[in-house]
Amino acid sequence: MKTAVIYNSQTGFTKRYAKWISDEIGADCFEFAAAKKKSFDDYDAIVFGGWACAGGVSKLKWFKERIEKWEDKKLVAFCVGGSPIDSPLIEPAMKRVLTDEERKKIDFFYCPGGMNYSKMSASSRAMMKMYAKILKAKKNKSEDDEAMIKMISSSYDLSDRRYIEPIIECLQ
């Protein structure tokens, strides 16, 4: 199956997962800016990866707008975020990014990434610092609040090649 992997990455985690996937299955891999100019008519499967951002997935709208055009292809999308794979926040967040109808056409996965403050845009860095400040100021913090404060206080990396295994299985 001829497969294309398209990714949009801000700090490198999504790019890392896209490269791992393409290396594993021998797919062509394209950064989002290049993919926007390309035809994918010759591909049997298209994988899209974007990073979690404010309850959504970066550039996923672009991918979803092509569902009908690509209805004869296997469609897979993945999101890379800063939460661990077992976080109870993941499932509800991921359910919000695709409609029930879109879920029938796109297999969707979550891959834990991390935070790399040195590679973040100034606006993203400011948003994360503001979020941390709000959490720190909160009275009666929950255990989850404390864990989140600790996690987002500095850069960290949760990415692991094993998280692509369900994606690879889906493509085979």
Side-chain angles (χ1 to χ4, degrees):
M1 177 177 349
K2 187 172 180 185
T3 304
V5 178
I6 303 163
Y7 69 91
N8 183 51
S9 188
Q10 179 183 35
T11 62
F13 295 104
T14 308
K15 179 180 181 178
R16 180 183 297 156
Y17 278 109
K19 296 288 186 182
W20 284 343
I21 294 165
S22 63
D23 289 348
E24 185 73 25
I25 62 172
D28 296 331
C29 193
F30 304 96
E31 196 275 325
F32 178 73
K36 289 193 314 184
K37 303 171 191 167
K38 183 158 181 48
S39 165
F40 292 93
D41 294 343
D42 294 340
Y43 290 91
D44 304 304
I46 302 173
V47 178
F48 177 83
W51 48 279
C53 176
V57 178
S58 67
K59 308 302 181 192
L60 184 63
K61 181 180 177 190
W62 174 87
F63 184 71
K64 293 187 327 181
E65 288 171 348
R66 284 149 183 78
I67 292 173
E68 298 307 318
K69 180 181 178 183
W70 293 339
E71 67 184 348
D72 63 329
K73 301 177 187 317
K74 174 78 171 166
L75 299 179
V76 176
F78 68 95
C79 169
V80 178
S83 295
I85 195 89
D86 59 355
S87 169
L89 304 174
I90 299 302
E91 188 177 338
M94 296 301 98
K95 283 186 177 179
R96 287 190 298 269
V97 298
L98 294 177
T99 65
D100 290 340
E101 197 60 35
E102 290 166 340
R103 266 192 279 296
K104 292 176 186 174
K105 299 172 184 180
I106 301 171
D107 292 296
F108 193 74
F109 300 88
Y110 176 78
C111 299
M115 295 278 180
N116 186 336
Y117 285 102
S118 66
K119 291 186 178 180
M120 272 186 191
S121 67
S123 60
S124 292
R125 202 169 35 250
M127 183 178 70
M128 290 308 299
K129 289 186 184 280
M130 186 167 57
Y131 179 53
K133 188 175 182 177
I134 290 167
L135 280 178
K136 287 176 184 176
K138 187 177 176 182
K139 293 183 187 329
N140 303 318
K141 294 177 200 65
S142 69
E143 203 172 289
D144 287 343
D145 292 336
E146 293 291 353
M148 183 62 75
I149 291 166
K150 184 177 179 186
M151 189 182 316
I152 65 174
S153 293
S154 61
S155 295
Y156 61 93
D157 184 350
L158 302 173
S159 61
D160 191 305
R161 199 175 180 102
R162 68 186 164 159
Y163 296 122
I164 68 166
E165 291 171 6
I167 299 169
I168 301 306
E169 287 176 25
C170 177
L171 290 165
Q172 294 176 336

